[in-house]
Amino acid sequence: MAAFYAGFPETVPIRTVNRQCSSGLQAVADVAASIKAGFYEIGIGAGLESMTINQMSWDGDVNPKLKNFQKAQDCLLPMGITSENVAHRFGVTRQEQDQAAVDSHRKAAAATASGRFKDEIIPVATKIVDPKTGDEKPIVVSVDDGIRPETSVAGLGKLKTVFKKDGTTTAGNSSQISDGAGAVLLMKRSVAVQKGLPILGVFRTFAAVGVDPAIMGVGPAVAIPAAVKAAGLELEDIDLFEINEAFASQFVYCRKKLELDPQKINVNGGAMAIGHPLGATGARCVATLLHEMKRRGRDCRFGVVSMCIGTGMGAAAVFERGDGCDELCNGGRKVESNNLLSRDSR
């Protein structure tokens, strides 16, 4: 229905994918893999979530045998409890979490004010309906409306914890409940060149890993090294990171565990300021990463998108700046000779 609403003809097939918080990135990875396999040449990896309409609650039953398997039980833990588990197990303090939230809002506010998000945002015309009178007011959404430039550590310190009385996770150091959507257009390089389209980035590798569901937030700390290794790179080779800020606890832990340079991570803010519409986040992070890599030019060749995943997983993908590929990586280059080929292949 969404495809028809968007104007795609009936000849275009679609499918949905669900890997919780990484669904948008998984969609991008699936399209990239299918293009590489030769199933098709052009595809769109997209995601959306309306958390104001779908509150993510579930009233169904589970198999009673679940009680015999602790890991399976832990898959049902509220995400906020997993955040508290990470903070407690790895010693992430309330001060560290609140400071991470302040940094996220500060950077997102600066990026918005300077217009750095403008190229990656498609304005959406919609309407607001007054629940009391039913009156409709047309609006155009063109900026993220969850960013709070005035956020301070002192202010966040006054907030009560949400999931545990003596815990550290609050509404202020967690990602927001947001509505959002994102889309990434992918195609074979030769097709893009033929159509004269600018190449913003190159999809290199993707990795999804499993972790303890009770501390699912540690996922990026495991997924990022796996994806980077698959790309034949080291962590030091990565110039920018977009790591989803589901909770400040897990974001701070992953940053410290991987010993990443804070100046390379979420340079335009993250989910604590922008929001985390679950299905959309992966595609949104790809857009934010690639546009920032383009702005930085030759000083920024490789970037990573990563997030934790409810029920105990992590996902990460490595991208290369579109115009940063050397000749060995450029699928569109012309081969001048075959002197290096074996005699049988000539």
Side-chain angles (χ1 to χ4, degrees):
M1 290 186 289
F4 287 134
Y5 182 83
F8 289 96
E10 63 186 34
T11 53
V12 177
I14 66 162
R15 70 181 178 93
T16 58
V17 57
N18 176 25
R19 201 193 283 269
Q20 307 282 33
C21 305
S22 73
S23 296
L25 183 62
Q26 186 67 57
V28 171
D30 286 357
V31 171
S34 294
I35 291 174
K36 187 175 182 179
F39 296 160
Y40 43 77
E41 294 185 334
I42 303 174
I44 296 175
L48 66 90
E49 202 76 57
S50 180
M51 298 178 79
T52 58
I53 294 177
N54 177 13
Q55 297 296 326
M56 313 307 294
S57 60
W58 182 61
D59 299 323
D61 294 324
V62 297
N63 191 319
K65 293 182 179 180
L66 194 73
K67 62 184 179 181
N68 299 322
F69 301 91
Q70 185 61 49
K71 297 289 187 186
Q73 288 188 59
D74 289 344
C75 289
L76 299 176
L77 287 173
M79 293 298 97
I81 295 298
T82 71
S83 170
E84 293 287 8
N85 290 343
V86 169
H88 176 72
R89 189 175 302 187
F90 301 108
V92 183
T93 67
R94 170 74 181 267
Q95 174 76 17
E96 288 179 302
Q97 294 176 58
D98 287 350
Q99 185 61 59
V102 169
D103 292 342
S104 184
H105 282 279
R106 175 181 53 80
K107 290 185 286 188
T112 300
S114 63
R116 289 201 293 275
F117 289 139
K118 188 169 293 186
D119 288 343
E120 69 185 74
I121 292 179
I122 304 293
V124 175
T126 184
K127 62 185 179 183
I128 293 178
V129 180
D130 189 313
K132 295 181 179 180
T133 65
D135 293 341
E136 297 182 358
K137 178 184 177 182
I139 62 170
V140 175
V141 181
S142 58
V143 296
D144 296 297
D145 56 10
I147 302 170
R148 300 188 298 276
E150 73 285 352
T151 300
S152 67
V153 172
L156 293 182
K158 298 176 183 178
L159 297 178
K160 294 182 179 180
T161 57
V162 179
F163 302 97
K164 193 176 178 183
K165 188 174 181 180
D166 59 345
T168 56
T169 300
T170 71
N173 59 33
S174 305
S175 57
Q176 301 176 25
I177 293 177
S178 306
D179 297 344
V184 180
L185 175 65
L186 300 100
M187 65 185 70
K188 288 180 63 175
R189 173 181 287 273
S190 58
V191 174
V193 171
Q194 181 183 8
K195 292 181 175 295
L197 297 175
I199 299 173
L200 197 57
V202 180
F203 184 96
R204 286 299 176 205
T205 58
F206 171 80
V209 301
V211 298
D212 183 347
I215 50 171
M216 66 92 203
V218 306
V222 183
I224 290 174
V228 170
K229 182 178 180 181
L233 301 170
E234 302 289 341
L235 282 176
E236 293 74 20
D237 297 319
I238 307 303
D239 302 296
L240 276 181
F241 294 87
E242 281 291 328
I243 301 177
N244 186 46
E245 300 167 351
F247 297 95
S249 61
Q250 57 84 211
F251 170 73
V252 171
Y253 165 78
C254 293
R255 183 183 67 194
K256 293 167 67 175
K257 176 66 175 178
L258 298 179
E259 298 181 346
L260 302 180
D261 181 354
Q263 299 301 316
K264 291 183 176 182
I265 312 172
N266 298 358
V267 296
N268 294 314
M272 285 185 282
I274 298 171
H276 174 31
L278 309 184
T281 287
R284 196 282 297 171
C285 286
V286 172
T288 301
L289 176 76
L290 293 182
H291 280 89
E292 184 60 30
M293 291 174 71
K294 178 183 178 181
R295 272 189 292 272
R296 298 191 175 207
R298 293 189 177 276
D299 293 332
C300 188
R301 180 171 181 180
F302 295 107
V304 164
V305 169
S306 185
M307 65 282 294
C308 57
I309 303 169
T311 70
M313 288 178 282
V318 177
F319 294 85
E320 187 171 4
R321 198 182 74 252
D323 60 351
C325 305
D326 56 37
E327 288 191 343
L328 293 178
C329 298
N330 189 340
R333 74 185 180 96
K334 181 180 179 181
V335 178
E336 299 295 341
S337 69
N338 60 359
N339 293 336
L340 299 180
L341 301 178
S342 68
R343 182 177 301 172
D344 293 336
S345 66
R346 292 177 183 171

